[in-house]
Each structure stands twice: as C-alpha cells, then as structure tokens.
Amino acid sequence: MVESKQKWKAWLYLAPAIALLLVFTVWPIINTVRMAFLEGYRGLEAANGQTFQIGVENFVKVVKYKRFLSCLKNTVLLCVLTVPISSFLALLVAVFLNSIKWLQKPLQTVFFLPYVTNSIAIGMVFAAMFNIVGSFYGTENEIVVTAGIINNIIEFFGGKAINWINYGSSYIANITVMVIYIVWNALPFKILILLGGLQSINKQYYEAAKVDGTSRTRIFTRITVPLLSPMLAYVVITGFIGGFKEYTSIIGIFGESMGPADDAGRLNTMVGFIYDAIESNNQGRASAAALILFVIILAVTLINLQVSKKSVHY
C-alpha cells in the first residue's frame, strides 16, 4: 500500500515534464511522420480544409530535387572531415590538460568558452577573420584590397592572400573555412568528456608501466586509448549526429545565402534543405527530408555502435 502511494507521488511529480515531452517532442515527431506521407502537403492549404492523399510523392520529390544531392554531399563531407579531426585533437588536448594539474582549471575554462557562446556570433567572427574586408583606390588609382586577419598572417609569412568566402571563391576554400570553424567549435564538449574519462582511469596502470620502463607513446596507445575507448566512442557517435544536423555554423559565416554571393546555396546542408522547404510552405517535403535525415543518422549511429563493440574496452 505504501509502495503504491509512493508511485502515485512519483507520477505526480513527473507529470509536468511528461506533459511537456508529449506536447513538444512526441507529438511533433508523430505529426512529421503524418505530413511526410500526405502527398503535396501544405499547411496553409490544409488549414483551408484541403485534403491530401497518402503516398510517397514527397519522398520522390525530395530525392529528385536538383539541390538534394548537393545538400547531402555537403552534409556527409563535413561529417567525414570534422568528426575524426576534432575527436583526435580533443584527445590530444585532454591528455595535455590532464598532465598539467596547476594550469588545468584556467585552461579548461578557456577551452570551454566556445561551447557557451552563440554559434551565429562565433560564425560572424570567423567570417570577419577569413573575409576580404573591402577595397579602395591607392595613391596611383590602383585597387588595394584589405584582407582579414587570416590573409594578413599568410601574407606576413610570404604567402599570397586567398579568397576564402567572398565572391568568386572556390568550393574547396569554402569547405576549408567550414571545417576549421566546426572543428574549433566542437572541441570544448569533446575535451570535457575525454578529460573526465582520463581522470577516472586508475593510476595504478600508469605506475606499473613506469616501473616496466614503458615509453610514453606505448602508454598512450596501449593504456590511455583502450581505457578511454568508451568515451571516444561516445564523442564520435555524438559528433556524427551533430555533424549531420549542421546548419547554424554555415549561416553564421555565409548568411542565409549558404554560400558565396555568386553561388547561393553552394554549402547548403540537409537541415538547410528542410528549412528552405518550410519557408516555401512545403511542409510535406520538409517532413519527408527530415525522415530521410533521421534514417541516415540512425544508420550511421548503428554502424558506429557495431564498430565500437569490437574496439571498445570496458
């Protein structure tokens, strides 16, 4: 009797949270699936009483859309490039922080600052750094280009300024800027997770290795990495999930054009594709694209889980 009363109180305390989850999480998911299978579904037309047939036309239109493959390619490319690089750098930084106790707290704060800063604001700063600020006429009426800080550094070391993100810039230059920004922005969270994992490793393993005269490289590859493998698997899986949802970083650097002025939409991603469909009142197409993205993320996550089963040591 007492146990049943306790359960009743527990459900009462959980009721507000459950209600919010049902309204803002469960129902939107169900509604997205419903709209995805209503052919040509548009919210305004549905509000006026129009009915829609059930089918897969929305999925066909998404796949046939001329920009779909470009959005998918950009999304996959950014994931494949940024997740391994950011995970490896985060591991090195975490090992470095773990080895210098006296500077650990200040450096943790410095490294974690990007994580609590608005992504759009950071993107605007990166845009200014890689931007060609402007041009003016010099003393002999020649056009002088004022470059951002990155090109100033390149020129200082004798290099030639690169058109990173402006009109006429190349796709490779655009992707390079995005990879640098995404990696930098992803490091704080991964460093925090890996540093926590490092601090939980039993110090006896390292003491035994020192007694045996084991080199630092072998300690890192044979002790640190295997014992840290659950955390590494976690940051890689969450990295891929976050990478497939990449959108705000591109908006922060390139704005709503999602690319340089001469090729708007060049760097559009799957999430950007979904937002574009919503803005054009094609909620059915947006829902279909969202389900396709969900299936891709689910497949990649399951593959990562299968791989991690063979390489993760608990």
Side-chain angles (χ1 to χ4, degrees):
M1 187 68 181
V2 175
E3 186 179 349
S4 63
K5 287 183 179 180
Q6 295 299 329
K7 287 183 178 179
W8 179 81
K9 287 183 180 180
W11 282 109
L12 181 63
Y13 295 144
L14 288 172
I18 293 173
L20 290 173
L21 284 172
L22 289 173
V23 173
F24 294 106
T25 302
V26 177
W27 167 244
I29 292 173
I30 295 173
N31 197 38
T32 298
V33 176
R34 181 183 69 87
M35 290 188 296
F37 288 96
L38 293 177
E39 296 185 350
Y41 181 88
R42 293 173 180 267
L44 293 176
E45 296 175 3
N48 292 327
Q50 182 174 339
T51 58
F52 303 89
Q53 294 182 347
I54 297 176
V56 294
E57 181 185 349
N58 292 326
F59 295 93
V60 174
K61 286 184 177 179
V62 167
V63 175
K64 287 185 176 180
Y65 189 67
K66 59 181 180 181
R67 285 280 188 177
F68 172 75
L69 289 179
S70 174
C71 294
L72 182 60
K73 180 191 72 173
N74 291 335
T75 304
V76 173
L77 184 60
L78 288 175
C79 279
V80 171
L81 291 176
T82 59
V83 174
I85 295 173
S86 61
S87 300
F88 179 71
L89 290 178
L91 176 60
L92 294 182
V93 173
V95 171
F96 169 73
L97 285 177
N98 193 50
S99 64
I100 49 170
K101 305 295 182 182
W102 60 283
L103 263 179
Q104 194 174 101
K105 296 298 181 183
L107 287 178
Q108 269 185 273
T109 304
V110 171
F111 280 113
F112 197 68
L113 282 176
Y115 189 70
V116 295
T117 307
N118 185 274
S119 297
I120 300 295
I122 297 174
M124 294 174 67
V125 172
F126 267 76
M129 291 170 59
F130 286 92
N131 197 12
I132 296 176
V133 178
S135 59
F136 58 92
Y137 288 98
T139 54
E140 299 180 0
N141 289 328
E142 77 278 11
I143 297 178
V144 180
V145 177
T146 306
I149 187 172
I150 299 299
N151 277 329
N152 286 334
I153 293 173
I154 293 173
E155 291 176 339
F156 177 80
F157 287 100
K160 186 177 180 182
I162 300 172
N163 184 3
W164 295 103
I165 60 176
N166 296 89
Y167 184 95
S169 58
S170 66
Y171 179 77
I172 295 176
N174 299 160
I175 287 291
T176 302
V177 174
M178 292 312 310
V179 168
I180 293 172
Y181 168 63
I182 294 171
V183 167
W184 183 82
N185 198 32
L187 281 177
F189 175 75
K190 295 183 178 183
I191 290 172
L192 184 68
I193 297 297
L194 295 177
L195 185 59
L198 282 170
Q199 292 174 346
S200 66
I201 296 176
N202 195 326
K203 301 299 183 290
Q204 291 181 352
Y205 294 110
Y206 295 107
E207 292 171 359
K210 288 181 180 178
V211 171
D212 292 339
T214 309
S215 65
R216 289 186 177 182
T217 303
R218 193 168 180 82
I219 291 174
F220 177 76
T221 57
R222 296 295 183 179
I223 297 177
T224 302
V225 173
L227 293 177
L228 202 60
S229 56
M231 298 300 180
L232 285 170
Y234 173 77
V235 297
V236 168
I237 291 172
T238 54
F240 273 106
I241 293 173
F244 275 104
K245 297 188 293 182
E246 200 63 57
Y247 175 72
T248 55
S249 57
I250 301 170
I251 289 291
I253 292 179
F254 290 96
E256 293 183 359
S257 64
M258 302 286 283
D262 58 324
D263 192 1
R266 175 191 284 178
L267 295 179
N268 202 1
T269 59
M270 287 295 295
V271 174
F273 180 91
I274 293 168
Y275 280 127
D276 290 342
I278 293 174
E279 289 179 2
S280 61
N281 193 34
N282 286 311
Q283 286 82 8
R285 188 182 301 175
S287 299
L291 285 184
I292 292 173
L293 180 59
F294 168 76
V295 171
I296 294 172
I297 293 175
L298 179 62
V300 172
T301 302
L302 291 175
I303 292 171
N304 277 317
L305 287 173
Q306 288 297 321
V307 172
S308 65
K309 284 182 180 179
K310 299 178 181 179
S311 57
V312 171
H313 305 276
Y314 293 98

